[in-house]
Amino acid sequence: MLEIIENNWLLFLIGQYPHGPVGGLAMTLFLAVVGLSLSFPVAIALALARLSSHRWLRGPATAVVYVVRGLPLIMFIFWTYFALPLLIGHTVGGVATLLFALVVYEASYLSEIIRAGIEGLPKGQTEAAKALGLGYFPTTFKVILPQVLHNMLPSLVSQFVSTIKETSLGYVISANEVTFAASQVNNQLMTQPFEVYGLLALTYFTLCFTLTSAARWLERRLAAERGALGIQPA
Amino acid sequence: MIRFEAVEKWFGQHQVLAGVTGEVKRGEVVTLLGSSGSGKSTLIRTVTRLEDIQGGQVLFEGVDVAGRGVDINRLRQRVGFVFQAFNLFPHLTVLGNITLGLKRLRKMPKAAARARAMTELDRVGLADKADALPSRLSGGQRQRAAIARALAMDPDVMLFDEPTSALDPEMVGEVLRVMKSLAQNGMTMVVVTHEIGFAREVADTVWFLDKGQIVESGPPAEVLDDPSHARLRSFLSRRR
């Protein structure tokens, strides 16, 4: 086991870089961070559309969220892999494909978290903003969302953890993240799948467990803060 | 300044306002009394369309607030509203709560907005709390900050929806004092309250609401000391 680490730790961490593309754990983290960051504004737009009083905004947004949440991510990745090149007219690499699929997928889930957060805020907040004469956009972006996103921090970290795990599906379309790196090592060694995939599991677990713990800590802190503020979670 | 004309409001099958007619004149302080559920809070909420109505009209300076072409956000800037639960924005400092409207709606530069906010905070005696978050304030201080927030927009009229009902008894006084000095400075005010003493001392006119109607109105001395309506008599006797 130690020998596997000694010979392959660099491949695990950064793929074939600098002799080839960046990969491994670095790529996994890149995909999760960028995927989540890009999905964030999309999620906000989806959530606002779902809460809109305009039917032609609410309808499509609701449809997107329900369809995406009703499909397994792997299927979604396949669809993106085959359909995206047809749509834009040229082939797309594994990483870009995975990123696209992740953004749409994560945005749907995040939008539900954001929507719940908005609906959970005391009604008085919107009313106070309205009473001042603030229109929809300043009310949403200066009063409502800052509070919602603050309350959402723990869920956001949890979502980050799911995203990290979901990037492993990139393996099927040869996006060279850490699972892909592990399978390369396994193909080389041929005889030690338990050790290789054990290492992979340990890597994911360490990363995700750390983050989940951070989320729990954040949640406790926010709960304490909210208690001090006397804010009811409505 | 504000005219209610046969205002009707339904929550589903339940009628909350059953044809309210009345007028608030410029510079006047009107106090709305009535047991809970009598429709008094709902009535003042119709002025800035926090509640829509199903019948009648609410006129602000002669203009139907629900009329076509009325910019409701512009109208709301002219009507200050103070809530029972304060509704300060918890993520902003006291100062930030006040400057938000000034910067966004009055397009004031930061320094001017800050100066304006400080003037209002001074007026309600909270200048030293400008940089505190609302969570660090007592209930009375929160309500005074909320009043300052509304005043900063330079409203023509101030509406108060049970401003002291959520406060501990020892904090009621400080809020009422601020409101009283406002009234003395000529602010037009409509105050929904259970504070009979405030009505007696400060109001020009008292409206007593029952089952969605104004059943008695007039100067406080008349209405409060010589109630003709049985409901009002029992309402008052419970609050002595």
Side-chain angles (χ1 to χ4, degrees):
Chain A
M1 189 115 162
L2 278 176
E3 199 182 332
I4 301 176
I5 299 177
E6 249 182 88
N7 294 332
N8 298 290
W9 63 275
L10 209 56
L11 185 70
F12 258 94
L13 283 183
I14 57 172
Q16 298 174 351
Y17 190 80
H19 309 293
V22 178
L25 194 59
M27 180 51 80
T28 293
L29 285 172
F30 169 84
L31 281 166
V33 170
V34 175
L36 205 63
S37 311
L38 291 180
S39 66
F40 202 58
V42 183
I44 289 176
L46 273 176
L48 293 178
R50 285 207 61 190
L51 291 170
S52 165
S53 50
H54 298 288
R55 213 170 356 153
W56 45 271
L57 275 177
R58 199 174 55 230
T62 307
V64 168
V65 170
Y66 272 77
V67 166
V68 172
R69 294 210 312 160
L71 293 174
L73 177 59
I74 186 103
M75 232 203 79
F76 206 67
I77 291 173
F78 280 138
W79 267 94
T80 313
Y81 189 66
F82 295 116
L84 200 59
L86 288 179
L87 280 175
I88 61 175
H90 58 86
T91 54
V92 186
V95 169
T97 304
L98 181 59
L99 203 55
F100 180 88
L102 274 177
V103 167
V104 178
Y105 200 76
E106 293 306 323
S108 299
Y109 280 90
L110 272 180
S111 79
E112 288 293 273
I113 300 175
I114 296 173
R115 186 177 64 94
I118 293 176
E119 289 185 317
L121 221 57
K123 225 178 70 199
Q125 290 295 308
T126 315
E127 283 193 346
K130 272 188 182 174
L132 276 176
L134 291 168
Y136 175 78
F137 286 101
T139 299
T140 304
F141 288 96
K142 292 284 167 182
V143 175
I144 303 303
L145 283 179
Q147 298 185 53
V148 169
L149 301 186
H150 184 75
N151 296 341
M152 258 181 67
L153 276 174
S155 322
L156 213 58
V157 178
S158 306
Q159 202 61 28
F160 186 58
V161 171
S162 324
T163 312
I164 289 175
K165 290 184 286 186
E166 281 157 0
T167 55
S168 63
L169 291 175
Y171 165 74
V172 299
I173 53 166
S174 307
N176 49 340
E177 36 67 68
V178 71
T179 304
F180 187 79
S183 71
Q184 277 180 314
V185 174
N186 185 48
N187 289 346
Q188 248 172 45
L189 299 176
M190 305 251 277
T191 54
Q192 294 166 288
F194 287 113
E195 286 85 343
V196 172
Y197 287 116
L199 270 175
L200 181 65
L202 196 66
T203 311
Y204 276 119
F205 180 80
T206 311
L207 194 58
C208 294
F209 180 75
T210 312
L211 284 165
T212 314
S213 307
R216 253 208 324 273
W217 177 80
L218 261 176
E219 205 161 319
R220 269 200 306 270
R221 237 192 62 165
L222 284 177
E225 205 174 283
R226 226 170 278 141
L229 287 181
I231 297 173
Q232 304 298 319
Chain B
M1 178 165 243
I2 301 172
R3 268 194 69 76
F4 300 100
E5 282 178 3
V7 175
E8 289 186 31
K9 164 86 189 173
W10 297 79
F11 285 124
Q13 289 296 305
H14 177 60
Q15 186 164 26
V16 208
L17 296 176
V20 175
T21 299
E23 180 165 14
V24 180
K25 297 195 185 71
R26 183 173 289 274
E28 196 180 17
V29 177
V30 175
T31 299
L32 271 60
L33 300 178
S35 42
S36 52
S38 60
K40 50 197 192 315
S41 289
T42 311
L43 184 65
I44 62 168
R45 287 165 60 88
T46 62
V47 177
T48 52
R49 281 177 51 197
L50 290 176
E51 303 287 351
D52 285 319
I53 57 175
Q54 279 81 48
Q57 269 190 329
V58 179
L59 304 166
F60 181 73
E61 310 237 288
V63 179
D64 182 355
V65 300
R68 279 173 178 278
V70 170
D71 182 344
I72 188 65
N73 290 329
R74 202 159 271 282
L75 186 143
R76 283 171 176 160
Q77 291 176 42
R78 300 176 57 193
V79 181
F81 202 105
V82 175
F83 297 87
Q84 178 178 352
F86 332 127
N87 296 354
L88 290 172
F89 307 132
H91 62 300
L92 299 175
T93 61
V94 169
L95 195 81
N97 265 275
I98 303 174
T99 53
L100 178 62
L102 296 174
K103 287 192 287 198
R104 286 266 142 180
L105 301 167
R106 295 271 186 268
K107 308 290 175 206
M108 274 192 191
K110 214 172 171 183
R114 196 187 155 90
R116 181 62 219 267
M118 287 311 293
T119 311
E120 295 306 335
L121 282 175
D122 217 24
R123 169 137 67 144
V124 300
L126 283 178
D128 57 325
K129 301 286 183 195
D131 296 316
L133 284 173
S135 53
R136 299 274 164 233
L137 268 53
S138 72
Q141 291 172 330
R142 286 182 207 188
Q143 192 60 297
R144 284 187 282 148
I147 293 174
R149 177 173 71 178
L151 286 175
M153 299 305 284
D154 247 333
D156 296 326
V157 53
M158 288 282 286
L159 309 178
F160 294 85
D161 186 3
E162 304 204 21
T164 57
S165 298
L167 297 177
D168 292 336
E170 71 266 25
M171 292 170 181
V172 171
E174 59 188 81
V175 172
L176 291 182
R177 263 195 302 284
V178 168
M179 292 168 62
K180 198 171 151 188
S181 87
L182 261 182
Q184 280 161 353
N185 287 322
M187 176 63 79
T188 311
M189 294 164 58
V190 184
V191 185
V192 172
T193 187
H194 292 293
E195 298 289 331
I196 309 283
F198 177 83
R200 192 185 299 277
E201 204 182 337
V202 183
D204 300 304
T205 311
V206 173
W207 293 358
F208 179 72
L209 274 84
D210 187 45
K211 296 188 181 137
Q213 285 182 317
I214 300 176
V215 292
E216 196 148 348
S217 74
E222 259 173 50
V223 174
L224 298 175
D225 296 333
D226 185 18
S228 56
H229 201 277
R231 276 283 194 163
L232 177 52
R233 269 202 295 274
S234 79
F235 175 80
L236 290 173
S237 67
R238 268 180 280 127
R239 278 160 212 284
R240 285 258 155 78

